Amino acid sequence: MLTFLGFAMIATFLVLIMMKKMSPIAALVLIPALFCVFAGKGAHLGDYVIDGVGKLAPTAAMLMFAIVYFGVMIDVGLFDPIVRGILRFCKADPVRVVVGTAVLAAIVSLDGDGSTTFMITVSAMYPLYKRLGLSLVVMTGVAATANGVMNTLPWGGPTARAATALKLDASDIFVPMIPALAVGLVFVFILAYVLGLKERRRIGTLVLPGDVEQVSGQSAEPAEERLLVAATGSAEGGTAALAEPSAASASASASGGTGTGSGSDSGPVPDSAAPEDGFQGLDPRRATLRPRLYWFNAGLTVALLAAMIMELLPIPVLFLLGAALALTVNFPHMPDQKARIAAHADNVLNVAGMVFAAAVFTGVLSGTGMVKHMADWLVGAIPEGMGPHMALVTGLLSLPLTYFMSNDGFYFGVLPVLAEAGAAHGVSPLEIARASLVGQALHMSSPLVPAVYVLVGMARVEFGDHTRFTVKWAVLTSLVVLGAGMLFGII
């Protein structure tokens, strides 16, 4: 009964979200509360929710202060050189823009934090997507999938959890997986190229005004320095020019509509279209830049990441200290500090709200025993003849289980059972642990991952649209990593 209710609850949640019948935060709260009553455990709902909130509170604190910290680092220009390099590569070619999104997301993912990756990627690429009229779900889908592959880094979480759960060394799990993960990352770049070709066919090849002026012999400001550009019209397979934003529109040139479409039929956004969303891109002349403090900020960020990897302090504490120090040094005057906090308050509130709403969902799943019954049913459904192939089975099961469960639930609750079943048939726990990582490309778009709400929130994309577009490509990427692992004899 609990097995059926668990699957029914997840299915109901996903259907309502993708059909846009409920907002994610409402669905995360109301649907599990209703199914808790159906399971006959409504009297314990409060205990389940408090337990879930207690477990996710550190995650919420980490994300809150990580958003403030990296928001300040973006404000002061720490990542501008990387962004300029990516934009110089992208120019105004949709193929290069989408591939550049994947490259930028992969590079920033080296820090091991998904919310940071999405903040930097969206801040850099959103204005370009809006002005060129590219599909925003392409941006969110490519960024999430690239980050999912990179999320397997030892300091990213899943590898450490697998090592802890099975009492193995993290390097023994991760290092042999590098070739398979590299194949997966290359596949993401190829996918980005193909999606970019589709976008190019849809809107045509676009030319930045700097390119036009340079061709005519006139001097022009380098195109990559103008991070905000304005589209003047569509081109059906042809070439369109992009006009320089006027002074009147410069402050809103990164703005646009809601970005909720799938990208199948939307054209370039005209300069006058929907400037009301208030998104500000990386203006190279913004007042918050602190070029004299660049090396201080770079050193602080490196020290923060090193402390995270070395686990000197809990991650929420590190980000709390880092955010306080970054604000104090870069903006010593109180009004400036308040302004920076207010500038990022929207993202902080949205993400924290989602985390605590997800605590209701995960609290009910685990508290009622639904997640245990679901995992036991799936493991029990494995045919006896598949015992010698438990690594393959683990890899396949990691896709749905890490999507519908938290990483903690999968790695500490299900993985030991799979490893024990594999050991009975002579399958090494190391192979089981490596196979368990392949589902991370899909996991990063799970409704239970708080960072994904940073991504869709900043990109002005509906979560249901992101899910419909991304899941199929994320599943394919995970299968490519699994296939490569088997081909190389790693799994």
Side-chain angles (χ1 to χ4, degrees):
M1 180 64 176
L2 287 176
T3 301
F4 170 77
L5 287 175
F7 284 115
M9 184 173 81
I10 292 170
T12 302
F13 170 80
L14 291 175
V15 168
L16 290 175
I17 289 297
M18 288 191 286
M19 293 180 65
K20 301 181 185 178
K21 299 298 184 183
M22 294 184 73
S23 67
I25 193 167
L28 284 168
V29 172
L30 297 179
I31 292 174
L34 184 63
F35 274 84
C36 183
V37 174
F38 289 164
K41 300 188 178 183
H44 301 286
L45 177 62
D47 296 332
Y48 300 153
V49 172
I50 294 299
D51 184 59
V53 168
K55 290 178 179 177
L56 289 182
T59 300
M62 183 271 289
L63 287 172
M64 288 170 62
F65 290 105
I67 289 172
V68 173
Y69 179 82
F70 284 105
V72 169
M73 291 297 111
I74 292 170
D75 292 337
V76 301
L78 177 63
F79 303 105
D80 280 19
I82 298 175
V83 172
R84 279 197 294 270
I86 295 294
L87 293 176
R88 186 179 295 116
F89 165 79
C90 292
K91 299 188 185 246
D93 181 5
V95 173
R96 291 189 175 203
V97 171
V98 180
V99 172
T101 302
V103 172
L104 180 59
I107 292 173
V108 183
S109 293
L110 290 171
D111 74 347
D113 177 53
S115 58
T116 305
T117 299
F118 298 147
M119 287 175 64
I120 296 172
T121 302
V122 175
S123 294
M125 305 306 294
Y126 179 94
L128 201 53
Y129 274 77
K130 288 298 294 183
R131 294 305 100 195
L132 301 184
L134 302 180
S135 170
L136 293 175
V137 290
V138 171
M139 176 180 69
T140 61
V142 168
T145 307
N147 177 252
V149 175
M150 297 296 290
N151 192 47
T152 53
L153 293 168
W155 53 90
T159 302
R161 287 181 174 90
T164 302
L166 300 184
K167 297 179 175 58
L168 301 171
D169 189 277
S171 61
D172 291 337
I173 299 173
F174 175 74
V175 174
M177 278 293 289
I178 291 177
L181 296 172
V183 170
L185 193 58
V186 169
F187 177 78
V188 173
F189 295 152
I190 294 172
L191 172 63
Y193 179 81
V194 172
L195 294 174
L197 285 177
K198 291 177 65 177
E199 289 296 285
R200 180 195 282 172
R201 285 195 296 267
R202 183 171 65 82
I203 66 173
T205 302
L206 301 138
V207 179
L208 287 170
D211 298 334
V212 177
E213 293 165 2
Q214 288 166 2
V215 170
S216 64
Q218 301 178 18
S219 63
E221 180 184 356
E224 65 271 11
E225 292 296 329
R226 292 194 300 273
L227 305 187
L228 309 181
V229 292
T232 60
S234 61
E236 295 296 334
T239 301
L242 296 179
E244 182 73 23
S246 65
S249 64
S251 64
S253 58
S255 303
T258 61
T260 58
S262 64
S264 59
D265 54 8
S266 59
V269 180
D271 205 23
S272 60
E276 71 278 359
D277 70 7
F279 186 95
Q280 295 299 316
L282 296 181
D283 182 352
R285 290 174 291 274
R286 59 195 183 274
T288 58
L289 289 177
R290 297 291 185 270
R292 294 183 180 179
L293 293 171
Y294 183 85
W295 291 111
F296 167 79
N297 290 316
L300 177 61
T301 302
V302 170
L304 179 62
L305 297 179
M308 288 170 54
I309 295 170
M310 297 171 64
E311 299 181 348
L312 297 182
L313 287 172
I315 294 179
V317 177
L318 289 173
F319 274 119
L320 192 155
L321 294 173
L325 186 58
L327 279 169
T328 302
V329 174
N330 288 282
F331 303 97
H333 300 295
M334 186 67 69
D336 294 335
Q337 292 183 17
K338 290 181 178 179
R340 289 302 88 213
I341 293 173
H344 303 291
D346 186 37
N347 284 330
V348 169
L349 180 60
N350 285 336
V351 173
M354 288 295 180
V355 171
F356 288 121
V360 181
F361 197 94
T362 57
V364 170
L365 265 180
S366 58
T368 58
M370 290 181 188
V371 69
K372 183 180 185 304
H373 280 75
M374 292 163 62
D376 290 345
W377 179 83
L378 285 171
V379 173
I382 300 172
E384 184 66 25
M386 292 297 293
H389 308 288
M390 279 303 296
L392 172 62
V393 171
T394 300
L396 293 175
L397 285 179
S398 72
L399 273 70
L401 290 181
T402 57
Y403 186 80
F404 297 131
M405 300 171 60
S406 67
N407 269 343
D408 285 340
F410 174 72
Y411 285 103
F412 295 120
V414 178
L415 188 60
V417 178
L418 294 172
E420 185 177 346
H425 293 86
V427 180
S428 166
L430 276 172
E431 293 183 52
I432 299 293
R434 293 167 191 159
S436 70
L437 301 178
V438 304
Q440 288 303 304
L442 178 61
H443 171 74
M444 286 310 298
S445 289
S446 166
L448 302 181
V449 174
V452 75
Y453 297 109
V454 176
L455 176 64
V456 298
M458 292 186 66
R460 273 59 171 177
V461 169
E462 291 288 345
F463 181 79
D465 292 329
H466 170 78
T467 300
R468 279 198 302 270
F469 178 83
T470 306
V471 164
K472 56 182 178 292
W473 302 120
V475 168
L476 190 56
T477 302
S478 296
L479 293 177
V480 167
V481 174
L482 178 60
M486 297 184 67
L487 181 64
F488 296 149
I490 303 167
I491 298 175

